[in-house]
Amino acid sequence: MYDILIALALIGLGYFVGTRNEKNHYKYIKKMENELNGLPLVTSQSMQEIVDIDRAELVEGNVVIAKDYFKAFVAGLRNMFGGRLASYESLMDRGRREAMIRMKIKARERGANIIINTRLETANIGMAFEVLAYGTAVYLKK
Amino acid sequence: MIEFKQRPLDETKNVNVSDHSPLKDFFVLLSGSLAILMFVYLAAGILVDFAIAKYPNQLETQFHKIFKSRFINEEAPLTPKEEELTRIFNKLLKQASFKDRQFTIRVNESNIVNATAAPGGFITVYAGLLNKARSENEIAYILAHELGHYEL
């Protein structure tokens, strides 16, 4: 009996706190994306035209996001029936965007003009997952 | 160099996240899985009731043989207590409607007050019950009850 109560309490906690967390995170992400919009980020492997490059270096941003019990519970049920696992989709989306934001912050701090050859990697850490975004920050000659 | 024109981000809808309401998902999935479990439980109950009624005798004897070989050692000689119980039991067996069955009475020496009937005609009487019994009639009553388990 107590097991069920504890599980329900965790699920409730996960839902309320987790949803608030997610909303706040999305607000932050949108704000930062707008702020960093001036620093372009592309996936092409090289500069498309001949330009004067001062230097180039690797920049990376990573973030580790944990899931809450509510998401995990719904995912467990959903795993039995199949279909889109929407509860984890928002998790992954936030992770990707936050990682790219962090990479842009790092590049902007150092004065980069463009980030090329951007790649994303995901890894599992126990119950959480990490997203790493890395690319080449290019500094053009003034 | 291609000029970079900064455009404001326009995010009305996030393509990467399905349109869903997490709470509704949760309730639908939970009640769906509970409903399926209930159904399986009820269906299994009904099917078992059905199957037992149609159980042919041959199948039952086969099942008894398997149970016998796996769980019970029938080679050991009967103790005096067990012989006594078998004597009482055989008197009852004369009144029973099935003569073609093999029965073995065993006494288990723990102090549990109980008696069990297992497939293959193995009746186990626990020592605690024998100690509590006040007359041969009481024991005969219990053995008759166990015998009744085999009646179908």
Side-chain angles (χ1 to χ4, degrees):
Chain A
M1 183 58 201
Y2 285 123
D3 294 342
I4 300 182
L5 283 179
I6 291 179
L8 278 177
L10 282 175
I11 291 174
L13 185 77
Y15 176 68
F16 289 114
V17 177
T19 317
R20 205 171 51 93
N21 244 328
E22 188 161 296
K23 230 191 289 204
N24 288 341
H25 197 198
Y26 266 125
K27 244 196 285 186
Y28 169 79
I29 286 177
K30 289 197 176 124
K31 180 173 78 107
M32 291 309 291
E33 273 179 355
N34 270 312
E35 222 177 272
L36 293 160
N37 204 11
L39 175 60
L41 179 161
V42 292
T43 52
S44 39
Q45 289 185 332
S46 58
M47 296 295 286
Q48 298 295 307
E49 296 178 352
I50 313 259
V51 283
D52 274 343
I53 297 182
D54 186 18
R55 67 182 194 286
E57 64 180 1
L58 171 75
V59 283
E60 50 97 55
N62 85 333
V63 63
V64 179
I65 300 201
K67 50 193 190 220
D68 54 73
Y69 200 71
F70 178 75
K71 283 201 205 286
F73 187 79
V74 173
L77 289 177
R78 173 62 76 186
N79 264 324
M80 283 197 271
F81 300 108
R84 270 168 289 165
L85 195 47
S87 69
Y88 281 171
E89 276 174 5
S90 55
L91 220 57
M92 302 294 307
D93 182 54
R94 278 157 53 203
R96 275 194 302 272
R97 288 161 77 170
E98 170 89 36
M100 288 197 281
I101 285 170
R102 289 186 181 185
M103 181 176 70
K104 278 198 190 180
I105 290 176
K106 178 76 84 60
R108 186 178 66 169
E109 264 170 20
R110 302 170 67 91
N113 296 102
I114 180 174
I115 306 178
I116 63 172
N117 206 13
T118 324
R119 300 287 177 259
L120 288 158
E121 308 266 340
T122 317
N124 251 342
I125 303 182
M127 300 274 284
F129 74 101
E130 179 221 28
V131 180
L132 169 74
Y134 61 96
T136 311
V138 173
Y139 304 79
L140 301 172
K141 283 214 174 78
K142 298 289 182 281
Chain B
M1 165 119 160
I2 306 171
E3 196 181 313
F4 168 60
K5 264 213 265 283
Q6 181 177 342
R7 267 180 298 224
L9 290 171
D10 172 36
E11 185 166 333
T12 44
K13 183 170 165 340
N14 190 353
V15 179
N16 286 322
V17 182
S18 323
D19 214 0
H20 78 296
S21 140
L23 218 47
K24 190 168 90 125
D25 261 359
F26 171 70
F27 282 120
V28 165
L29 283 172
L30 191 63
S31 45
S33 30
L34 283 178
I36 291 179
L37 284 173
M38 291 285 302
F39 176 75
V40 167
Y41 178 74
L42 289 171
I46 293 176
L47 283 173
V48 162
D49 285 340
F50 200 61
I52 285 192
K54 309 274 175 160
Y55 210 27
N57 264 332
Q58 250 191 345
L59 193 57
E60 198 171 359
T61 347
Q62 284 292 78
F63 184 53
H64 288 184
K65 283 212 191 88
I66 299 173
F67 195 86
K68 233 192 270 196
S69 57
R70 289 258 179 119
F71 292 104
I72 311 234
N73 168 25
E74 54 176 342
E75 303 302 319
L78 292 176
T79 64
K81 267 196 260 188
E82 288 168 1
E83 275 182 17
E84 183 66 25
L85 288 174
T86 315
R87 185 186 61 81
I88 306 173
F89 190 77
N90 285 333
K91 275 199 267 186
L92 296 167
L93 202 52
K94 290 208 187 83
Q95 317 291 328
S97 55
F98 33 82
K99 316 283 183 207
D100 54 346
R101 292 231 210 181
Q102 275 271 359
F103 286 98
T104 317
I105 321 270
R106 292 277 174 198
V107 173
N108 184 312
E109 292 297 337
S110 32
N111 266 328
I112 306 173
V113 185
N114 202 0
T116 54
F122 290 100
I123 298 180
T124 311
V125 183
Y126 290 86
L129 187 66
L130 293 178
N131 293 335
K132 275 223 150 168
R134 290 167 296 187
S135 72
E136 188 175 300
N137 264 342
E138 285 190 2
I139 297 186
Y141 205 83
I142 291 161
L143 289 175
H145 170 93
E146 298 308 325
L147 180 58
H149 278 301
Y150 295 94
E151 178 86 32
L152 236 176

